[in-house]
């Protein structure tokens, strides 16, 4: 069964005043104090982190926070 991924951008939006987009170094905070980063386009980073999180997740639902 696939893990449901819930991605929150509220922390990023509060700091930067807009939704994440474009090219950059993107940081994703996962439960348990794990932080993953990805350099590149935001949409590619989200896909990459989601795939990686699903491979390693043991919970049915995973909440990921975007920040930079």
């Amino acid at each position: 069964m696939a893990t449901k991924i819930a991605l929150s951008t509220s922390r990023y939006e509060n700091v930067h005043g807009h939704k994440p987009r474009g090219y950059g170094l993107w940081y994703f905070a996962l439960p348990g104090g794990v932080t993953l980063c990805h350099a590149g386009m935001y949409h590619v980073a989200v896909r990459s982190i989601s795939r990686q999180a699903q491979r390693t997740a043991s919970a049915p639902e995973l909440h990921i926070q975007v920040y930079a």
Side-chain angles (χ1 to χ4, degrees), residues 55-67:
R55 283 194 304 264
T56 60
S58 58
E61 188 169 355
L62 191 61
H63 298 277
I64 300 175
Q65 179 68 46
V66 179
Y67 68 96

Side-chain angles (χ1 to χ4, degrees), residues 11-68:
R11 187 172 174 182
Y12 182 93
E13 290 176 42
N14 288 338
V15 172
H16 298 282
H18 57 82
K19 292 189 178 290
R21 63 182 185 271
Y23 186 86
L25 182 57
W26 303 102
Y27 289 90
F28 300 85
L30 281 68
V34 176
T35 300
L36 300 174
C37 66
H38 184 91
M41 297 299 291
Y42 177 71
H43 69 279
V44 175
V46 169
R47 254 186 287 158
S48 175
I49 296 299
S50 295
R51 287 180 186 148
Q52 187 173 353
Q54 283 189 348
R55 283 194 304 264
T56 60
S58 58
E61 188 169 355
L62 191 61
H63 298 277
I64 300 175
Q65 179 68 46
V66 179
Y67 68 96

